[in-house]
Amino acid sequence: MKLTFYGGAGEVTGANYLLESGGAKILIDCGLRQGKNYCELPNFKPFPYNPKEISAVFVTHSHIDHTGRLPQLARCGFKERVISTPPAKDFAEAMLLDSEHVLLEEASHCGEKPLYTTEDIDKICSMWEGVQYHKKMQIGPFEIELWNAGHILGSSSVVVLTEGKRIVFSGDLGNIPNPFITDTEYIKEADYTLIESAYGDKIHEGADTRKEELRKTIINIIKNRGVLLIPTFALERTQEIIFELNDLAESKRIPRVPIFIDSPLAIKLTSVYQKYSRDPMYFNAESIARTEGGDAIFSFPGLKATLTTEESKTIDKIPAPKIVIAGAGMSQGGRIRRHEMRYLPSSKNTILFIGFQVQGSLGRRILEGAKTVQINSENVPVRSKVVSISGYSAHADQSQLMKWLAPMKKTLKKVFVVQGEEDQLKSLAQNIHQNFKLDAVVPSMGETVVL
């Protein structure tokens, strides 16, 4: 049995793992590598394996750095099954369609052919199956089961049993407790595991602390009569912030101020949340009770969704104080860039980061203190206040990652630390080795290991 790391090794994005046994091959994730650009140049290279030989692809969740090359896989001859939970399937189709025009523009800029077309997206979605947690599937010599990863709605860890060995692919693990979705499940035994490490050297603020930091940031904006910009990922971060803002306003901890969701994709994805909002497999008991009690947890007075470009432009006419929530989460595209051009130059305003900012991204440069940034070929001064609340990240921190790993420590032969930057990878691997006395390694891109 062989495992090869074709993405997510030595970097946060581009998760793509090939597992081979008995002549059969399956993939876990097939994501886009991202950084300074939405789509980095390596994505345009041919796959390092033959897509026609892949028996199935298992998708841990629907973020583009885990799904973004799937239509390209279909374009190159893959014709078998793609499997995830039903919510992940619903999200992925919307996100892939939303990404297509961005990828088209970036391909044109770097002189490459587009990765795929909308027809390729339709093709891969026609092969996609939604499977519930803990329904065991047999693909050749592989028995596969999805466990709740608690990262975003419908996210999974993939557990594979073959040749008498159990291999666990963590996917992205959740920052718990989550205010509305069900929490991460703990797997009791495995021979090998791959564990993500996006926050492998950090500890998040607690739930109460992060909400208080959000409240203080909003109160300061109101006092300054400024604008609060929140670059958010359309999936999960937007919905969680809406949930928190609703809670703060209903408990009268903040005054009502105009709040705009300026992301067509986030608006579409919120409807998927509403679709599953009464399902106890995905939503926790408290949020279901609130929904059944008549509380529209993703809608409240003062919240306006601006779907069209014309509606988006009307935000500028609304006097401050106001809050603008817009994609993309790392400021690599989307409507947030227009708002940043307008509002970053004023010291009255604040930009708040609530998600991971990958190295090289515009968001990372702002977060690290750049005095001037280039947006749409213009130099934009950064005089606004810059705030980060890591507790709103959808990723587990170091203590949560260790807690997830702990039940497996007695049976594990080796741990592969993936999906992190160099400091996070090394810190988590060292922590695992020191505390659990396990062989924890950081694989390199393209490395093959025999299990």
Side-chain angles (χ1 to χ4, degrees):
M1 179 167 51
K2 292 192 295 186
L3 171 65
T4 307
F5 301 85
Y6 286 124
E11 60 186 8
V12 178
T13 62
N16 188 208
Y17 310 107
L18 175 67
L19 189 62
E20 302 175 68
S21 177
K25 300 177 182 180
I26 59 171
L27 289 178
I28 312 298
D29 289 335
C30 191
L32 205 67
R33 293 171 71 178
Q34 299 179 295
K36 183 179 178 182
N37 300 301
Y38 186 85
C39 176
E40 295 288 13
L41 281 172
N43 296 299
F44 294 98
K45 294 181 180 178
F47 288 105
Y49 45 79
N50 186 350
K52 295 177 182 179
E53 296 177 353
I54 306 300
S55 300
V57 182
F58 290 87
V59 174
T60 61
H61 65 286
S62 41
H63 281 146
I64 290 298
D65 63 325
H66 291 256
T67 63
R69 294 190 77 183
L70 282 169
Q72 187 184 10
L73 197 73
R75 192 177 205 179
C76 294
F78 173 75
K79 295 181 179 179
E80 302 299 332
R81 303 160 69 187
V82 179
I83 298 167
S84 72
T85 64
K89 177 181 183 290
D90 292 346
F91 288 137
E93 183 170 5
M95 294 185 74
L96 288 168
L97 287 168
D98 184 77
S99 296
E100 189 267 341
H101 73 281
V102 180
L103 296 175
L104 187 65
E105 290 175 6
E106 291 208 350
S108 176
H109 286 321
C110 57
E112 298 283 350
K113 293 181 180 178
L115 287 183
Y116 48 78
T117 64
T118 54
E119 287 77 15
D120 297 316
I121 297 172
D122 291 340
K123 189 186 299 183
I124 200 70
C125 289
S126 70
M127 308 173 197
W128 205 307
E129 299 175 28
V131 175
Q132 302 288 11
Y133 295 129
H134 304 300
K135 180 181 178 181
K136 293 182 179 179
M137 298 155 277
Q138 195 73 37
I139 305 289
F142 304 103
E143 181 185 274
I144 299 102
E145 183 180 2
L146 304 180
W147 289 60
N148 188 353
H151 172 59
I152 61 173
L153 180 63
S155 62
S156 301
S157 296
V158 178
V159 180
V160 183
L161 178 64
T162 186
E163 298 185 23
K165 297 181 181 69
R166 209 174 195 217
I167 306 100
V168 177
F169 297 80
S170 73
D172 286 352
L173 295 169
N175 178 14
I176 55 179
N178 187 289
F180 51 86
I181 66 168
T182 49
D183 286 341
T184 308
E185 293 181 314
Y186 295 93
I187 298 162
K188 291 184 179 179
E189 60 180 283
D191 296 284
Y192 301 94
T193 189
L194 286 74
I195 185 170
E196 66 117 325
S197 61
Y199 285 88
D201 66 345
K202 292 181 173 61
I203 303 296
H204 296 320
E205 304 99 335
D208 291 340
T209 302
R210 71 188 186 189
K211 186 179 282 191
E212 178 59 16
E213 288 299 312
L214 177 62
R215 188 192 72 82
K216 287 179 180 177
T217 302
I218 294 168
I219 294 299
N220 286 336
I221 276 293
I222 293 170
K223 286 179 180 177
N224 292 335
R225 300 200 64 78
V227 179
L228 176 59
L229 295 183
I230 309 180
T232 55
F233 299 97
L235 180 55
E236 196 78 17
R237 293 311 91 216
T238 296
Q239 292 76 25
E240 186 169 348
I241 283 294
I242 293 169
F243 186 94
E244 294 279 69
L245 291 171
N246 182 22
D247 202 46
L248 286 169
E250 285 192 347
S251 62
K252 302 190 185 305
R253 295 178 64 191
I254 59 169
R256 294 281 185 189
V257 294
I259 301 171
F260 299 91
I261 309 176
D262 195 27
S263 167
L265 179 59
I267 295 166
K268 292 174 187 174
L269 296 179
T270 300
S271 67
V272 178
Y273 279 85
Q274 292 164 338
K275 174 181 175 180
Y276 293 96
S277 63
R278 295 173 188 265
D279 189 335
M281 181 172 289
Y282 301 110
F283 276 74
N284 63 37
E286 182 182 351
S287 63
I288 290 174
R290 288 178 63 169
T291 299
E292 292 180 344
D295 185 357
I297 60 176
F298 300 118
S299 178
F300 54 88
L303 180 69
K304 180 176 175 60
T306 49
L307 190 60
T308 67
T309 302
E310 290 71 26
E311 288 175 317
S312 174
K313 290 177 180 177
T314 64
I315 295 173
D316 298 338
K317 300 175 184 177
I318 304 299
K322 58 189 173 185
I323 299 171
V324 181
I325 303 166
M330 293 184 285
S331 301
Q332 289 297 84
R335 293 179 180 176
I336 192 63
R337 293 167 72 94
R338 184 179 71 82
H339 297 298
E340 287 168 340
M341 291 177 72
R342 184 178 180 86
Y343 295 115
L344 285 179
S346 173
S347 60
K348 287 185 176 182
N349 304 326
T350 296
I351 184 166
L352 169 62
F353 293 103
I354 58 169
F356 188 82
Q357 305 298 306
V358 74
Q359 198 164 25
S361 66
L362 175 59
R364 181 70 165 260
R365 294 197 294 278
I366 296 170
L367 185 59
E368 291 182 341
K371 300 302 181 186
T372 304
V373 292
Q374 192 171 75
I375 305 176
N376 300 338
S377 301
E378 290 188 29
N379 290 323
V380 179
V382 182
R383 301 189 188 98
S384 66
K385 187 176 181 182
V386 179
V387 177
S388 175
I389 306 178
S390 72
Y392 281 111
S393 171
H395 289 269
D397 65 9
Q398 187 185 83
S399 64
Q400 293 167 337
L401 292 167
M402 295 293 287
K403 184 179 178 181
W404 180 81
L405 199 61
M408 295 181 269
K409 65 182 180 181
K410 291 182 180 178
T411 60
L412 282 170
K413 297 177 176 66
K414 185 171 284 191
V415 179
F416 300 99
V417 185
V418 295
Q419 292 162 220
E421 293 177 357
E422 184 177 3
D423 289 347
Q424 286 77 43
L425 290 161
K426 289 181 177 178
S427 177
L428 184 59
Q430 185 177 22
N431 205 290
I432 292 167
H433 178 72
Q434 288 179 345
N435 287 278
F436 294 156
K437 310 304 179 190
L438 291 171
D439 184 10
V441 299
V442 177
S444 57
M445 189 70 71
E447 181 179 350
T448 297
V449 295
V450 177
L451 305 182

